[in-house]
């Protein structure tokens, strides 16, 4: 997999996030408290947001909502963890209008969505916020619809300082992180910056501008991919073996249903 200096594709981002998830498998001496989603997750969020208004009861019966619940319950991807077992969810978001990538971190303990962006400007800020508000609205409804296990995370909704004064219909707060490393003028490596932010956060590190080398991830990820592939060959396993079982769903598709890929 190459890392050229142009706008990254969904498949490149998905591969990097996949191997970030696998760290807990290959590094048992560390405890990781995060999970990730793939790029299609935000496509489904947009689809659900476009179809349903945020107060429409039909959100509970929509087909696309069932796909989101698969993510939440850990039945969607390889090496994914159910959301109630981790602290944070890392969500890659492609701002398609600007061919740009940002990282959203859904934090349950802080009851917020933290935004990590390698480009700052007033006009840009408002475009990104519009996308993140879609995420905040739909995620809240899906957590309610699937009876998310806050208690299993040690969160008492009545007493937790970030939850006790909130109504059940209040969206997660949206917070933009400041003083982040910014991409050089003319560079299109938005995806590289987003993946590097994610890797720093996954280790529990702060993102420091004066220590940020955007060229280092190129070499590191090539080495990581080679090392993981070697381990899989030695164990004679394939990624499909690691796929989680999904809950059975009754199909809503009939002979007159028009189907679109999301």
């Amino acid at each position: 997999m190459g890392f050229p200096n142009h706008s990254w594709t969904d498949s490149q981002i998905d591969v990097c996030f996949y191997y970030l998830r696998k760290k807990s498998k290959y590094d048992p001496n560390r405890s990781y408290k995060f999970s990730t989603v793939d790029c299609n997750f935000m496509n489904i969020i947009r689809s659900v947001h476009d179809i349903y208004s945020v107060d429409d009861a039909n959100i509970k019966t929509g087909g696309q909502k069932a796909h989101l619940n698969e993510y939440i319950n850990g039945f969607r991807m390889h090496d994914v963890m159910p959301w109630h077992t981790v602290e944070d969810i890392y969500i890659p978001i492609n701002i398609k209008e600007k061919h740009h990538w940002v990282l959203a971190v859904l934090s349950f303990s802080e009851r917020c969505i933290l935004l990590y962006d390698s480009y700052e400007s007033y006009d840009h800020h408002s475009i990104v916020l519009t996308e993140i508000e879609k995420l905040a609205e739909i995620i809240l409804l899906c957590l309610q619809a699937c009876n998310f296990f806050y208690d299993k995370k040690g969160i008492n909704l009545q007493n937790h300082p970030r939850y006790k004064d909130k109504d059940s219909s209040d969206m997660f707060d949206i917070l933009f992180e400041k003083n982040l490393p910014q991409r050089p003028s003319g560079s299109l490596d938005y995806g590289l910056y987003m993946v590097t932010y994610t890797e720093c956060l996954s280790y529990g590190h702060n993102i420091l501008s004066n220590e940020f080398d955007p060229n280092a991830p190129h070499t590191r990820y090539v080495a990581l991919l080679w090392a993981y592939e070697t381990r899989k060959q030695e164990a004679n396993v394939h990624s499909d073996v690691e796929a989680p079982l999904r809950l059975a769903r009754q199909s809503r598709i009939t002979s007159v249903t028009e189907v679109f890929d999301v």
Side-chain angles (χ1 to χ4, degrees), residues 25-69:
K25 177 182 176 73
Y26 291 120
D27 191 2
N29 295 323
R30 294 177 63 99
S31 176
Y32 295 98
K33 299 181 179 180
F34 72 89
S35 189
T36 74
V37 299
D38 58 11
C39 294
N40 195 47
F41 178 82
M42 195 61 197
N43 292 334
I44 300 175
I45 289 286
R46 293 186 183 104
S47 175
V48 172
H49 188 273
D50 289 345
I51 295 172
Y52 302 98
S53 63
V54 295
D55 61 347
D56 191 334
N58 287 331
I59 185 70
K60 297 182 179 180
T61 58
Q64 292 296 352
K65 191 276 303 179
H67 290 302
L68 294 177
N69 285 350

Side-chain angles (χ1 to χ4, degrees), residues 1 3 51 76 115 130 170 180 220 223 231 237 241 249:
M1 186 178 88
F3 295 91
I51 295 172
R76 186 67 180 180
L115 264 295
T130 298
D170 291 339
L180 295 172
R220 183 166 60 255
R231 287 169 175 166
V237 299
V241 176
R249 292 202 309 265

Side-chain angles (χ1 to χ4, degrees), residues 22 25-26 225-239 242:
K22 288 176 72 73
K25 177 182 176 73
Y26 291 120
L225 294 172
W226 179 85
Y228 289 141
E229 183 62 27
T230 299
R231 287 169 175 166
K232 287 169 61 177
Q233 290 178 357
E234 291 174 349
N236 194 29
V237 299
H238 303 279
S239 293
E242 302 169 337

Side-chain angles (χ1 to χ4, degrees), residues 17 20 41 55 66 70 115 132 201 217 253 262:
F17 273 57
L20 284 173
F41 178 82
D55 61 347
E70 285 186 345
L115 264 295
I132 305 309
L201 294 170
I253 298 177
V262 179

Side-chain angles (χ1 to χ4, degrees), residues 95-155:
I95 309 299
K96 297 182 179 181
E97 182 177 342
K98 300 181 74 69
H99 305 287
H100 179 68
W101 289 96
V102 299
L103 172 67
V105 178
L106 177 62
S107 171
F108 290 106
S109 61
E110 297 298 323
R111 200 187 183 282
C112 69
I113 297 175
L114 299 165
L115 264 295
Y116 294 82
D117 193 348
S118 62
Y119 181 69
E120 294 181 359
S121 74
Y122 176 77
D123 177 61
H124 175 78
H125 177 98
S126 62
I127 293 174
V128 172
L129 182 60
T130 298
E131 289 296 293
I132 305 309
E133 286 176 342
K134 296 177 184 177
L135 173 65
E137 292 171 357
I138 300 304
I139 281 296
L140 175 65
L141 292 174
C142 286
L143 291 175
Q144 292 173 340
C146 70
N147 296 315
F148 184 70
F149 302 121
Y150 287 98
D151 56 329
K152 291 187 177 181
K153 299 181 62 58
I155 295 176

